[in-house]
Amino acid sequence: MTTDKATEDDPETCKSIRKEVTPISSPPGTNEYFASLDKSTMACIKNGGDVIKNSRRSELFPSRVYCKPYIPAAPK
């Protein structure tokens, strides 16, 4: 969405999705929203992320789905 703010410490997966999928301002439930969600889901998977369904939406996590970026394991 155009209201989402990018930060410097965003994972590379998130940065790649933002480059591939143009932000929209269309509200959830519209054709444009679903098309953007489909593109975002494909970009998430293509860039190594996992798509997580959010069944307990809250003010802090309002979206229906999130992309969990790939985070390499810390060296031992």
Side-chain angles (χ1 to χ4, degrees):
M1 300 292 294
T2 54
T3 56
D4 293 341
K5 304 292 182 227
T7 61
E8 286 294 319
D9 61 343
D10 273 351
E12 289 303 315
T13 303
C14 298
K15 291 177 184 176
S16 297
I17 293 169
R18 289 180 189 279
K19 287 179 187 174
E20 293 178 33
V21 182
T22 305
I24 62 166
S25 60
S26 300
T30 62
N31 289 337
E32 294 82 5
Y33 173 83
F34 289 121
S36 180
L37 180 60
D38 288 346
K39 290 177 189 174
S40 297
T41 299
M42 289 186 287
C44 174
I45 295 167
K46 183 176 112 183
N47 287 288
D50 292 320
V51 177
I52 308 295
K53 183 178 178 184
N54 182 14
S55 59
R56 295 184 178 191
R57 288 187 271 173
S58 66
E59 189 174 310
L60 187 59
F61 296 102
S63 294
R64 292 180 184 179
V65 292
Y66 286 92
C67 180
K68 178 181 172 189
Y70 170 74
I71 300 172
K76 293 183 180 182

